[in-house]
Structure formats: structure tokens, C-alpha cells
Amino acid sequence: MSLTREQIVEGLVKILGSDKVITDKQVLQESSIDRFRKYEDVCGVYTQPLPAAVVYAESTEEIAAVLKFANDNTINIVPRTGRSATEGGLETVVENSVVLDGSRMNKILNVDTYNMMVTCQCGVSLEVLDDMLREQGYTTAHSPQSKPLAQMGGLVATRSIGQLSTLYGGIEDMVVGMETVFPNGEITRIKNVPRRATGPDIRHVIIGNEGALCYITEVTVKIFKYRPENNIFLGYTLESMKTGFEILREVMVEGYRPSVARLYDPEDGEYYFSHFAEGKCVLVFMVEGPKAIAEVSAKEIENIVQKHAECEKVNSQLIKTWFENLNWDPKKIAEEIDEIAQTQNIGFTTEVSGNWDVIYDIYEACCNRVREEIPDITMMGGHSSHSYMNGTNMYFMYYYNLVDITPEEEITKYHYPINKIIVEETIKAGGSMVHHHGVGKHRTHWIKEEYTSSYYILETLKKAFDPNGIMNMGTIIPIKK
Amino acid sequence: MKILVCFKTVPDLEMLSEEDWAVDSNLAVDVSFVKNILNCFDESALEMTLKLSEYSESFNESLTLTALTIGDKKAEMFLKTLYALKFQKAVRIENNEDVRFFPEVIAAVIAQYVEKINNQDVVVLGRQSGEGDNAKTPLLVAEMLGWPCITQVINIEPSQEERLRVTSMVEGGTLIQVIDTPCVLSVGNAPVSYLRVPTLKDKMSYGKRAIEVLNINVFNIASLLNKCYHEYQLIGLEKISNHRAGILIEGATTAEKAKKLYDHYLKERLEKQ
Amino acid sequence: MKFTVILNGCSDNFILQAEEINGFLSSNALNLSRGHTIIFYCEENSKIELMANAPTASVELIKVKRYQPENILEILKQRTINQQMDLYLFASDFTGSELSVRFAYRIAGSSLVAVNKLEIEKDGLIAYKAVYSNHMQGVFKLSKKPYCISIAKGCTDLEAVLEKNHEAITEDMMDVVKDDFIKEYDFVEEERVSGLAHAKFMLVAGNGVKQKEKVKRLEEIAKSLGAVLGVSRPVATNAWAPLNQLVGVSGVMAKPELCIAVAVSGAAAFFAGIEKSQYIIAINTDKGAPIVRCADVVIIDDYESILEELLKIK
Ligand SMILES: Cc1cc2nc3c(=O)[nH]c(=O)nc-3n(C[C@H](O)[C@H](O)[C@H](O)COP(=O)(O)OP(=O)(O)OC[C@H]3O[C@@H](n4cnc5c(N)ncnc54)[C@H](O)[C@@H]3O)c2cc1C
Ligand SMILES: Cc1cc2nc3c(=O)[nH]c(=O)nc-3n(C[C@H](O)[C@H](O)[C@H](O)COP(=O)(O)OP(=O)(O)OC[C@H]3O[C@@H](n4cnc5c(N)ncnc54)[C@H](O)[C@@H]3O)c2cc1C
């Protein structure tokens, strides 16, 4: 027999005490969604089932106790830390879910500058951590645009990636070890060593699980020397995305590792670069590291770009200032809500990846189809921001005016159809439908097409680690109807 | 009714970092590498006018909206947007002179534009802008045209008989006045603060019209500037420090710290309350 | 320097205007005996109070139907036509800045709005004002008399008027009408809401208070100190305090004279809500908390013990 809301709350209070169990209606409403449904926040209309409670755990043991209680009583748990999720990962789609918030577990446990790693609890804010490290001359080198919002647990859980990824990699390249709690209350620890060949790398069961397999309570990530004085910024305007992708490819294939390598189309670039690149594409690099290496890399990247006559170099101060203003802090989030309410114009993003031979086709097909097929579009464009030896990503940005709709129709009339075009075009071309935000709950529809025959592995993981189906149901894997 | 909205694009000063605030030999801060945005009061003015225009249709009145900016080419992006939002005319008066602190010059150009080139019934402007923070332009335009002026406007609505119903903030409350034109409206802290966004389709159908570009020399800018130089000049510019003192109260015990706080920093302030 | 102060006696904030201008006059060492004050007023029975608060001994009270800038400007011009005045000073509110600019134009003088400080030189007037959206201070030299200056909000302390021997003349100029473009006129008085947004003294509590009971205790402490209690977002979202007490970008943007911030880290989204405070005192256990860098005075200690001690002293 499943428990009633009241019994669930009672059980949770028994474990945590009443202070850590919140049932205030407005809190529950705001906790029923994430930024995928930000229009619900704007309108104050909430459509998802309200969770039974939001609970704050303050230790691994408390997490374990809550998970065990949920597992025994089949209560859906939605793990949460920084609340910056964009793909529905925090939506409470199952009746009487419990949001398990780890943001109070915010202690930095150990800074080890000899072995170059830092260990912290899941609720440590990345910005707080990185500012602390920078004061000592180190950095995590992880710099997602949500750095002022996101916390370590969520960053690992979503397989996040930062703006400096082309040199330092995504979070999966940074995590050394972790402590994790599984639904049955089992607390596991993967030790911190430089490498191992002791069977499959089980870190990857945890990294990117989006709260659908286990709860991450502690992470150890690499640290790097922080030497901003060596940073060199390069910026160019150019006519076509095609040329831009070619240059990105050449830089990667020739073996250079800028930390930032980004290519904006004119539509997406307009917001940032209109003062010097109206109507043009913009190509940006930042190189860093030891001074000598940075200087040589910058010079060689310049040489590669210069072979393309359509590229015009711009003052690097333009690029530096842009870069320093790229992150989203809570103030910006609050302003955005106000702006949407006033203008009834709203924007979202969908990020995908593809090999070099298909990325331009994906870019072109998605832009064309969205512009033609979706009503009331005010902007459709994008940028590539993370390049690899084999290919790169496309981060699509799209905005539309909300015309004659109820709050609920924002998603069905606009957001879903756009997502569908981008995901389908990407999968058709052989790319991956999610580059870094996570699958969340709204791209699960295509998960089998994404995985094809390897879906067997994913499904088996879910069955093995979450047999009762209590971990963030509907995330990554769709709920069977 | 013909309505002219004057706007200015300004550098987004929030993008500058602490060390960017260096003053050069022309008493200017280099803002060339930050992006341009609509001055916030002007953005309100533009959106307010679009709302007025929509609303006027239900009064069976049609407005002719002109947007005017004085500045360099960077402003054209915004003029195109305004075309796409169905402004009938978008005008840029090309200027490369440093008029940051000479609202008299800007006002004189606007007044001449209205008197000699494109007669209007109403001129709407934001109360203050960006670098200069002069807060004088709309007032001077009114004086130069010899029109009345309403300041701190937060809403404009149509009214019967070609009149406007204007809401403005005054000390202690709001004023709602029905007025005859001509009039200058100076827009203050309005609840409407964002300009709407045109669709791609409207950008294609309306946003491609040619922007009318006028040369500022037509307006005798040299003599206007010269007059200003003789009346007043900027002679110094320095960074205002926003840092608070951050005095740390130390003491052996909590009681000692509390006492110090009270005696030195609180007592007097509490008494004033 | 011969000067005239212009004040709006039709407004509720008259005393504030007068005390602010008075503070400005004394902090800029303007010789009161060379000054004159013009006060516009609407109600006969307010005259005595208005006169008593004129910063200078020489006063001119001008009666108008209501405060309407077009009429006021016309009257001002008529009343000052043959004067050889050096400086006209206007209040810091919006009416002051409007009049200074438009009046200067009409009498062919020069104007500057929101001035912090003046220095008088032989061949001109040096005026300081904030520019670049409050990031920079500009120094201007005005060389065309009369100078019409409106002062900046909060540029000086308020100073009560000491002058006792006012000599006033009264003039009725209700018949000067330049506002017939106005066809209907309706004034809606703003509700004087008390509470956070208008609080003069605010105590704000953050997540470091840790429990609902503690917030209740803070309510009591705030009351006995004479403060209004605000909270940071976690306190509100934990339902320890109602959401209308939330301070910050998603709540109230306050501008009290005094703000004591306890157990708040001072995140940007929060700090924006207290940034405009005249004075900030922070109590926090963590020396590294951002609030420590943005406060005027800081105590590193447990907030509760400090506040309880304060109550004992008070
Ligand atoms: C403005 C903005 C910019 C962004 N930019 C980037 C970017 O540049 N790069 C990028 O990769 N992402 C970006 N994101 C997405 C988002 O910030 C990341 O996904 C981030 O990693 C989420 O971290 P969080 O702490 O906010 O997690 P939350 O939002 O709290 O949770 C995210 C997901 O992880 C799960 N989860 C959270 N904590 C745990 C835990 N302890 N154990 C298990 N599961 C958990 C949740 O259930 C949810 O599914 C951006 C988001 C925004 C709003
Ligand atoms: C879109 C968005 C909008 C937001 N809007 C707002 C907003 O409007 N208002 C707002 O407040 N936040 C807002 N936030 C949240 C904001 O970013 C911070 O998370 C929040 O302000 C932190 O609150 P805090 O300082 O109370 O808590 P914490 O950051 O947890 O800080 C607690 C502080 O208390 C101190 N402390 C602990 N114990 C004691 C003790 N015994 N004595 C003294 N000090 C102690 C600690 O050292 C710490 O500095 C917003 C966030 C987002 C994403």
C-alpha cells in the first residue's frame, strides 16, 4: 500500500525533524518545476503534481535514511542541489514525490594542493569553491555559464561542461572520486587515484545519472593552477558558419588546445557582438596555461585563421569584456522573469553534438526548419562552444512571442515542436541529441533512437540500481505508460 | 496624431570591470568594447508609444510614429527593430562629436528637426541617459519648441478629441491629466521597461526599409557646440568608490563587541530614528 | 555669491527640501545673508510653517492654485526679471531638477542637475555631480550666470533651519495661468505603506539563523530595537518567514537609513535589496562571507549572542 501525503511527511519528520521538512504551498509549487517550465513561474500557474514535501538533508546518513524510507515505500525522490536544471530534471511528475535537497551540505572538506584535488559536499556552490581556490592560486577550471547558480552534486549529476572545456574537458574529465548513496541506503565511495584499470570505470555510472540512479553526496575534482595573467583572447568576424567549423576543426586536428573555442552565428551573436560584428559570424578563442605555451598556441591559431581570407581580426579587449560578462547569476534570472512577463517573449536552448562531417548540416537544417515551421519565432540561431578531435557541439538558441495561448500551451505550441525538430534532425544526421544539459524529462521520448542497441545497457543499469523505480522517475528513461 | 520618440543607445556600463574605469586625456572612459543597449528610459518611451498606438486604433485614431536617434551607425540595429515593430519612420542623425555633456546641442537638433523637417504633435523622450546623466534633454526640447512638458510620465493613453491621457509621478502620488497637444513628454520610472520583440517574419516584411540618415551639420552643430563650450565645460572626471568602510569590530568577548558596536556605531543612529 | 533658493511649499516634503537645501548651503559655505528664498504655496494656513523653514531671512511667499510647472516658471520669470542674481538653487526632487533646467533656459543662464558640491571661483562656479550612472564623479565649470543648480538627493545631511528673524513678503499670483493645455486633472495620492520598502531601520536575517523559532525571536528583537524585519531567500523558502518579508531581487528593494544584516552571506541577488542602505552593519560568523566586504561595520561572531547583548545594553 502506498503512503498518503500525510504519512510521507510524518515519516520524513521522524527521520529529519520538522525543521528540515517543508510543506509550504508556494515552496512546493516552485519546487515542482525547473527552468524548462519557467513560464509557469512567470504566470504563477503550476501544472505539475505538487511534491509531498521538500526536505533538506545535512549529512550522507540523512540522505541514506531518506532514500531507504522512500525505497521501502515506493516514494519518488527528486534529488536537487543548485536548482539550475533546464530540461525538466527537477519536475515532480509523479504524485507525492519528495524533493531531496542537498544544498545545505555545503562544506569544502579538503583542499589538497599537492595531489591537486579538492573534495567537497554536493551542495558546495561552484562559484564559492572556485573563488576560494583562486585566492590560493588554483581553480577547478570548470566554468559553465551557470557557475553562480549550480552546485557540485548537480554539476556531476548532469555531466555538465564549462566554457574552458576544449582544454580542461567536461566534468567527467575532472571528477577523481565520489561518495554516492543508492536507493536501498547503500553508501558507496570511489577512491581518489590518478587512474585505474580495475574493470569498467564505474564513475561513469554515477556521472550524468541525473538523479535517476543514485544520490551524489560528495565529490573530489581535480584542481589546476590559476594563471589568468597568461590568458590571450582572439576574436574574428567572418561570413559563414561553414568556414568557422572548418577552422575549429583545423585547430583541433592540428593539436592546439585553446581553453575557449567558440563560433557564433549572426543571429545568436547579435545579442553580444552587435557593436562590432553586426550581421556576421564571430569566432572566439582563448588560450591559457603556462605563458610560453599560451603564446605559441595563440600564434599558431592565428596562423590557421589567417589562411581564411574572410576572417577579420577584432580588438581582443572586445572579447575579454564579453567573456567576463557571460555568466548568469541570480540577478539575471530574476530580470529574465520580469522581461518575459512584460514582453511575452521567451527563449530556450537545445544543445546537441555531431561529428565534423555533419555538424554544419545539422546547424542548417535545424535553423531553416524552425524558422519556417514554428509560428511567432523572433530569433533562431546558435553557437558551437565545445570542440573535440572528432566534432563539436551546436547550442541552439530560440525565442518566440507567446501569442494567444494559455500558460500550459507555451510548451505544446512552441517549445516541444522546436525541440522535436532539433532532436530529430540531429539523430537523423548521426549526432547526439544532448550535449550537456542532460536528458531531463522532455527528451526521453527519443532516448531509444539515441542509444539504439546500447539502450539495453542503460535500461539494465536502471533496473539494477533502482529496482523499485523511486529515483527521479521520468528522467533519462521515460515512464512506461 | 504625429508622435516622435527620441532615443539614445548607450554603452552597457554594467559590463565594465573595476579597472576599465580609467579616464583618458579627453576626460572620457573607453566604452568602445562594451555592447550598446537602449537607454532604459528611452526603452520605456518606445514601448509606451507602441502601446499607445495599438490602443489608439480602438479609438479609431491612427498615429504616425517616428523614431529618431542622434549617433553613429551602431544605432541602426535598433532603428531596424523599430521598423519591424511598425514605426512608420526611422531617422538617424549622424553624429561623431562628443556631446556626452551637452544636452543643449541634442535638444537643439531635435527641436530643429521638429520645426523644420518633420512637424509633430508630441515628442516623447526618456528623462535621463547613460554617460552624461544630464537629465536635461526633454526639458530643453520643450523650452526650445515653446511647448508644455510633463515629466516623470509612466503611461500614455488615447483620449477623445485628439487628446492624450497622461499619467505621471509627482511627489506624494500620481497625476492623471488629459491634455491637448502639442506637448513634450519626459518618461520616468515606468512599469513598462522592456521593448517588445519583433518576429522574424515582421523583420523580413517591415524591418528592411531604408533608414533616413541626416547629417548633423545641417543643424549647425559647430556653432551650437561653441556656444556650449562658453557656458560650461567638464574639467574633471574620477571614479566614485562604492566600497564601504568595512570596519571590523574586535573584542575579547561577545559582550565587548556588542558594546563597541552600540557605543560607536549604533547609539547615535538609533537615536535619530 | 548672491543666491536665491526656490522651494515648493505645496508639497508634503517641504521640510525635507528646506533642510536639505539648508544643509547644502552650510556645507558649501554659502553666506546666508546674501541669500533669498522663494516659496510657492497653496494653503493659507501653511504659511507660518513654511516661512519658519526658509533657510534665509529674506523670504518671498507666492501663492499659487496648485503646483504646476508651466505656471511656476512663468511666475518665476516675472518675479526675477530685473534681478542680478548669481545663483538659483533648487531642491533635489524631480520638481527641482525640472525647474532648474527650464528656468535657466528662460533667463539665459546655465544649469546643472543633481549637484553634490559647489566651489566658487572668480570666473565661474565649479560643480560636482555623479555621471556615468553613478560610476564617476564629474567636475564641471559653469561660466554663464545666473547658475541654476538643483542639488543631488542625499548629498548632505539634513540641517534644521536656525534662522529666526524672517522678513517675508507675500504675493498672490493665482491669476498667472499657462496651463490651459490641461483639460482634466486628477491627483491620486499614494498610499503611505509602512513596511520594508519604506522602513528607515531594517534588520535582515539569513539562512544562518537555522530555525523557524529563531526567526520568531528576531521579530521580537527587531521590534524592541525599532526595526522592521526582512529575510533572505532561504529563510522565506524554508517557510520560516512569509514571502512578503523577502529582501533582494525577487523581493523588496529597500533603502533604509540603517540596516543590520545578520547571518546572511551577502549573495549578489540578496545584496541588491539592501545596497541603497545609508549604513550597513553585518554580523556573521564567517570572515570570508561576501557581506563582510560590502558593509560599513562588521562583527565576526554569532549573531544571536551579539543581538541579545545589544538588547541588554539598550
Ligand atoms: C543560465 C544557465 C546556464 C547554464 N549553463 C550551463 C553550461 O554552461 N554548462 C552546463 O553543463 N550546464 C549549464 N546549465 C545547466 C545546469 O546549470 C547544469 O545542468 C548544472 O550542472 C546543474 O547543477 P545544479 O546544482 O543546479 O543541479 P540541479 O538543478 O539541482 O539538478 C540538476 C539535475 O541533477 C540532479 N541532481 C542534483 N543534485 C544531485 C545529486 N546530489 N545527486 C544526484 N542527482 C542530483 C537533479 O535531480 C536534476 O536532474 C545552465 C543552466 C542555466 C540556468
Ligand atoms: C533567480 C534567483 C533569485 C534570487 N533572489 C533572491 C532574493 O531576492 N533574495 C535573497 O536573499 N536571495 C535570493 N536568491 C538566493 C541568493 O542567491 C542566495 O542563495 C541567498 O541570498 C543566500 O541566503 P543567505 O545569505 O541567507 O544564506 P547562506 O548563503 O546560507 O548564508 C548564511 C550565512 O549565515 C552565516 N552564519 C551561519 N551561522 C551564523 C551565526 N550563528 N551567526 C552569524 N552568522 C551565521 C554564514 O556564515 C553564512 O554567511 C536568489 C537566487 C536565484 C537563483
Side-chain angles (χ1 to χ4, degrees):
Chain A
M1 263 310 286
S2 60
L3 301 184
T4 63
R5 272 177 99 80
E6 293 69 31
Q7 287 168 323
I8 292 173
V9 172
E10 219 170 276
L12 292 166
V13 168
K14 234 180 245 158
I15 299 169
L16 297 170
S18 59
D19 253 4
K20 299 179 193 163
V21 180
I22 315 295
T23 53
D24 180 83
K25 181 156 177 226
Q26 191 165 351
V27 173
L28 297 183
Q29 286 177 329
E30 288 175 358
S31 300
S32 68
I33 58 167
D34 62 26
R35 288 183 48 82
F36 194 89
R37 292 186 189 269
K38 63 189 171 194
Y39 194 57
E40 295 193 359
D41 251 344
V42 173
C43 304
V45 173
Y46 297 90
T47 60
Q48 303 303 296
L50 292 195
V54 175
V55 302
Y56 288 90
E58 289 178 9
S59 68
T60 303
E61 289 66 34
E62 286 184 351
I63 299 273
V66 171
L67 287 185
K68 191 159 182 334
F69 169 69
N71 201 36
D72 291 346
N73 296 290
T74 332
I75 302 161
N76 184 50
I77 293 286
V78 177
R80 172 175 101 178
T81 51
R83 307 181 70 168
S84 65
T86 52
E87 306 301 325
L90 299 180
E91 283 173 19
T92 51
V93 292
V94 177
E95 289 291 338
N96 294 343
S97 294
V98 170
V99 175
L100 181 52
D101 188 299
S103 64
R104 287 193 200 163
M105 295 175 62
N106 59 2
K107 285 193 199 61
I108 299 168
L109 300 171
N110 186 30
V111 182
D112 181 348
T113 56
Y114 192 73
N115 294 309
M116 297 296 280
M117 54 184 141
V118 60
T119 302
C120 52
Q121 291 184 309
C122 60
V124 167
S125 139
L126 175 58
E127 183 153 271
V128 169
L129 175 65
D130 211 49
D131 286 350
M132 186 274 289
L133 287 170
R134 283 180 180 192
E135 272 174 26
Q136 306 177 31
Y138 299 93
T139 172
T140 59
H142 197 45
S143 184
Q145 199 179 19
S146 55
K147 185 173 171 185
L149 309 165
Q151 299 173 0
M152 293 310 285
L155 287 160
V156 174
T158 52
R159 263 182 96 82
S160 63
I161 198 165
Q163 291 139 1
L164 313 175
S165 72
T166 308
L167 177 61
Y168 297 102
I171 194 80
E172 68 276 17
D173 301 301
M174 301 169 167
V175 171
V176 188
M178 278 163 296
E179 181 193 71
T180 314
V181 186
F182 283 83
N184 56 5
E186 188 81 29
I187 300 172
T188 65
R189 179 174 284 280
I190 299 176
K191 68 183 173 190
N192 303 321
V193 292
R195 189 179 188 269
R196 60 212 121 196
T198 52
D201 193 339
I202 52 176
R203 287 176 300 181
H204 293 288
V205 174
I206 299 162
I207 300 173
N209 89 80
E210 298 183 40
L213 297 178
C214 55
Y215 202 106
I216 301 159
T217 47
E218 185 191 299
V219 286
T220 299
V221 289
K222 295 175 192 168
I223 57 175
F224 301 86
K225 282 218 146 173
Y226 182 57
R227 287 176 286 218
E229 65 280 5
N230 296 345
N231 295 356
I232 302 172
F233 293 88
L234 301 170
Y236 306 87
T237 60
L238 62 165
E239 302 302 325
S240 87
M241 288 293 278
K242 207 169 180 130
T243 312
F245 286 125
E246 280 310 320
I247 297 173
L248 285 178
R249 179 181 174 278
E250 206 174 325
V251 167
M252 294 310 293
V253 170
E254 291 306 320
Y256 299 105
R257 290 293 171 267
S259 52
V260 176
R262 292 169 92 105
L263 171 66
Y264 282 79
D265 76 359
E267 287 75 18
D268 191 10
E270 182 178 291
Y271 178 77
Y272 297 110
F273 307 126
S274 58
H275 53 306
F276 64 92
E278 211 201 326
K280 299 216 165 171
C281 300
V282 175
L283 181 63
V284 173
F285 295 101
M286 176 167 108
V287 289
E288 56 177 280
K291 196 168 190 314
I293 295 182
E295 280 170 0
V296 172
S297 300
K299 202 169 134 254
E300 293 302 325
I301 291 171
E302 278 247 52
N303 286 340
I304 290 174
V305 180
Q306 264 162 18
K307 289 192 291 188
H308 299 265
E310 68 177 85
C311 297
E312 264 179 60
K313 192 168 179 185
V314 302
N315 185 336
S316 63
Q317 182 68 40
L318 291 163
I319 306 301
K320 184 165 182 278
T321 301
W322 157 78
F323 189 69
E324 283 166 358
N325 287 281
L326 201 48
N327 284 350
W328 274 63
D329 58 10
K331 201 169 159 198
K332 216 157 163 177
I333 301 262
E335 282 167 4
E336 189 199 29
I337 297 282
D338 190 28
E339 184 167 356
I340 296 168
Q342 280 193 36
T343 58
Q344 293 298 311
N345 179 265
I346 196 168
F348 290 94
T349 63
T350 302
E351 19 63 64
V352 302
S353 71
N355 293 340
W356 294 119
D357 62 348
V358 296
I359 197 70
Y360 181 76
D361 300 336
I362 293 175
Y363 165 73
E364 204 183 22
C366 293
C367 286
N368 288 345
R369 280 194 58 195
V370 169
R371 285 176 197 147
E372 275 161 25
E373 295 173 26
I374 308 295
D376 313 315
I377 285 282
T378 59
M379 187 282 222
M380 169 70 191
H383 61 262
S384 152
S385 41
H386 307 275
S387 283
Y388 310 88
M389 185 58 82
N390 320 103
T392 189
N393 79 314
M394 254 323 292
Y395 188 91
F396 290 105
M397 304 265 304
Y398 40 88
Y399 282 80
Y400 36 85
N401 283 338
L402 301 164
V403 182
D404 299 330
I405 54 151
T406 60
E408 300 85 287
E409 287 167 348
E410 182 269 314
I411 288 183
T412 50
K413 181 170 173 189
Y414 304 102
H415 199 168
Y416 274 162
I418 298 173
N419 241 352
K420 186 168 187 299
I421 290 174
I422 296 173
V423 168
E424 288 181 355
E425 287 297 330
T426 303
I427 292 181
K428 193 169 83 189
S432 172
M433 69 168 184
V434 185
H435 177 262
H436 63 262
H437 283 166
V439 181
K441 297 197 172 71
H442 301 283
R443 279 185 262 181
T444 55
H445 182 74
W446 299 276
I447 195 79
K448 287 186 185 156
E449 279 113 300
E450 166 75 21
Y451 272 75
T452 62
S453 58
S454 66
Y455 184 70
Y456 167 73
I457 308 175
L458 179 72
E459 206 179 18
T460 308
L461 280 175
K462 178 78 180 169
K463 280 184 195 145
F465 291 115
D466 183 23
N468 296 351
I470 64 145
M471 293 302 286
N472 208 354
M473 291 306 284
T475 303
I476 305 180
I477 295 174
I479 295 177
K480 285 205 184 80
K481 295 253 164 70
Chain B
M1 191 183 291
K2 292 181 74 183
I3 300 190
L4 175 71
V5 190
C6 304
F7 72 93
K8 182 174 163 197
T9 57
V10 292
D12 184 352
L13 298 177
E14 296 311 311
M15 286 180 77
L16 293 176
S17 66
E18 202 61 19
E19 62 266 29
D20 290 337
W21 287 103
V23 178
D24 66 20
S25 56
N26 294 323
L27 293 179
V29 174
D30 185 358
V31 291
S32 61
F33 45 85
V34 301
K35 70 172 183 167
N36 288 302
I37 53 175
L38 285 172
N39 171 41
C40 62
F41 295 107
D42 300 346
E43 184 164 358
S44 291
L46 289 164
E47 178 61 26
M48 220 181 258
T49 315
L50 285 169
K51 286 204 162 72
L52 169 69
S53 172
E54 274 175 351
Y55 199 3
S56 294
E57 280 165 22
S58 60
F59 275 66
N60 273 329
E61 215 202 289
S62 80
L63 302 186
T64 308
L65 302 186
T66 303
L68 169 72
T69 189
I70 301 170
D72 64 15
K73 220 168 172 275
K74 286 176 192 167
E76 297 211 343
M77 185 178 93
F78 296 96
L79 290 166
K80 283 183 201 158
T81 303
L82 293 170
Y83 263 143
L85 292 172
K86 304 185 191 155
F87 266 75
Q88 277 84 355
K89 205 177 177 71
V91 185
R92 180 171 71 85
I93 299 177
E94 167 79 25
N95 174 44
N96 298 300
E97 296 288 345
D98 176 9
V99 289
R100 282 172 300 159
F101 299 102
F102 295 124
E104 285 78 2
V105 173
I106 297 293
V109 171
I110 294 170
Q112 287 181 54
Y113 177 81
V114 173
E115 281 178 333
K116 298 186 190 148
I117 300 178
N118 189 358
N119 284 333
Q120 300 290 326
D121 298 300
V122 182
V123 181
V124 188
L125 314 87
R127 71 172 303 269
Q128 177 170 358
S129 83
E131 293 161 291
D133 287 321
N134 303 299
K136 288 164 74 167
T137 309
L139 305 169
L140 291 169
V141 169
E143 288 304 311
M144 290 170 185
L145 291 172
W147 292 4
C149 177
I150 298 179
T151 60
Q152 298 301 112
V153 170
I154 58 169
N155 195 20
I156 316 169
E157 288 166 333
S159 179
Q160 308 296 342
E161 300 171 54
E162 301 245 327
R163 289 180 176 151
L164 294 177
R165 176 180 298 274
V166 178
T167 309
S168 61
M169 313 241 290
V170 290
E171 184 57 39
T174 44
L175 266 186
I176 302 168
Q177 305 178 90
V178 174
I179 57 158
D180 270 340
T181 62
C183 183
V184 171
L185 301 178
S186 164
V187 172
N189 285 308
V192 175
S193 56
Y194 291 99
L195 182 64
R196 64 190 63 187
V197 186
T199 60
L200 289 180
K201 287 206 176 71
D202 283 346
K203 278 193 194 171
M204 295 305 288
S205 345
Y206 305 97
K208 306 264 176 213
R209 279 174 290 161
I211 289 160
E212 192 173 310
V213 181
L214 303 172
N215 191 312
I216 199 153
N217 294 328
V218 177
F219 301 90
N220 268 327
I221 175 137
S223 75
L224 288 171
L225 270 172
N226 196 32
K227 183 158 173 277
C228 283
Y229 291 143
H230 284 99
E231 294 180 4
Y232 74 98
Q233 261 175 321
L234 179 76
I235 56 168
L237 194 62
E238 61 187 42
K239 177 89 181 90
I240 296 174
S241 162
N242 293 320
H243 288 291
R244 291 176 187 257
I247 303 162
L248 188 67
I249 298 182
E250 301 193 79
T253 62
T254 301
E256 192 185 326
K257 288 189 229 175
K259 175 124 182 53
K260 275 193 194 162
L261 174 67
Y262 185 76
D263 290 348
H264 300 313
Y265 305 100
L266 257 184
K267 191 158 178 272
E268 206 176 309
R269 292 197 161 77
L270 286 179
E271 279 160 6
K272 254 180 65 182
Q273 295 296 323
Chain C
M1 179 152 292
K2 257 180 84 184
F3 68 91
T4 295
V5 169
I6 286 109
L7 296 171
N8 174 5
C10 306
S11 157
D12 285 350
N13 75 354
F14 172 77
I15 304 280
L16 191 80
Q17 292 173 45
E19 294 189 350
E20 200 167 34
I21 287 268
N22 196 40
F24 188 86
L25 292 172
S26 74
S27 61
N28 289 285
L30 282 151
N31 181 351
L32 291 186
S33 67
R34 304 203 60 199
H36 174 65
T37 305
I38 296 178
I39 302 174
F40 292 94
Y41 76 102
C42 313
E43 283 163 32
E44 245 359 270
N45 57 13
S46 64
K47 262 169 69 181
I48 303 213
E49 194 195 10
L50 297 178
M51 192 182 68
N53 282 289
T56 60
S58 155
V59 189
E60 186 173 347
L61 286 155
I62 300 177
K63 185 161 191 188
V64 290
K65 210 158 73 218
R66 60 184 157 86
Y67 183 90
Q68 208 300 320
E70 309 300 329
N71 299 344
I72 300 283
L73 281 163
E74 177 61 27
I75 296 170
L76 263 186
K77 183 154 182 204
Q78 289 183 17
R79 299 295 301 173
T80 57
I81 191 110
N82 290 319
Q83 286 176 357
Q84 290 297 316
M85 198 54 63
D86 299 314
L87 170 68
Y88 289 95
L89 265 184
F90 296 83
S92 68
D93 60 3
F94 291 123
T95 60
S97 58
E98 173 174 5
L99 289 188
S100 62
V101 176
R102 299 181 69 184
F103 182 60
Y105 184 86
R106 292 188 187 192
I107 59 170
S110 53
S111 66
L112 209 57
V113 168
V115 170
N116 285 309
K117 195 170 89 175
L118 294 178
E119 281 161 14
I120 298 157
E121 287 192 350
K122 262 208 213 75
D123 57 342
L125 184 71
I126 307 292
Y128 294 76
K129 70 164 280 185
V131 295
Y132 281 93
S133 305
N134 268 322
H135 288 282
M136 305 290 274
Q137 165 120 287
V139 189
F140 293 84
K141 179 163 183 175
L142 281 64
S143 26
K144 188 159 184 233
K145 286 183 188 174
Y147 315 120
C148 299
I149 300 287
S150 71
I151 67 174
K153 274 214 168 69
C155 66
T156 67
D157 287 337
L158 303 181
E159 256 178 54
V161 168
L162 297 175
E163 180 62 60
K164 293 271 179 292
N165 305 311
H166 290 104
E167 285 172 31
I169 53 166
T170 306
E171 198 74 34
D172 184 329
M173 299 197 71
M174 299 213 291
D175 56 346
V176 178
V177 176
K178 286 279 166 188
D179 61 354
D180 48 13
F181 75 109
I182 300 173
K183 298 301 166 194
E184 285 173 37
Y185 175 97
D186 190 13
F187 174 69
V188 186
E189 203 171 325
E190 184 186 12
E191 281 175 53
R192 300 247 167 224
V193 272
S194 61
L196 275 179
H198 299 270
K200 284 189 156 180
F201 176 20
M202 199 166 99
L203 176 68
V204 257
N207 205 13
V209 303
K210 296 190 186 77
Q211 286 169 32
K212 192 166 192 160
E213 281 62 47
K214 303 278 183 194
V215 179
K216 284 202 196 108
R217 174 66 190 141
L218 278 165
E219 274 289 0
E220 294 164 16
I221 295 177
K223 206 175 226 162
S224 71
L225 287 173
V228 183
L229 185 72
V231 299
S232 74
R233 187 165 143 146
V235 177
T237 54
N238 289 345
W240 297 339
L243 265 162
N244 65 11
Q245 272 177 293
L246 172 61
V247 175
V249 290
S250 358
V252 174
M253 306 289 271
K255 31 183 178 303
E257 284 162 21
L258 177 60
C259 171
I260 305 185
V262 304
V264 272
S265 57
F270 166 80
F271 191 71
I274 63 163
E275 201 169 28
K276 300 237 158 70
S277 308
Q278 278 175 28
Y279 206 75
I280 300 177
I281 297 171
I283 307 175
N284 200 300
T285 42
D286 177 8
K287 216 177 170 156
I291 188 85
V292 171
R293 276 171 273 145
C294 346
D296 294 286
V297 173
V298 181
I299 293 192
I300 303 300
D301 206 328
D302 172 48
Y303 82 92
E304 214 179 350
S305 354
I306 295 282
L307 289 182
E308 297 293 349
E309 284 294 334
L310 271 184
L311 285 189
K312 280 189 226 157
I313 304 171
K314 188 178 159 274

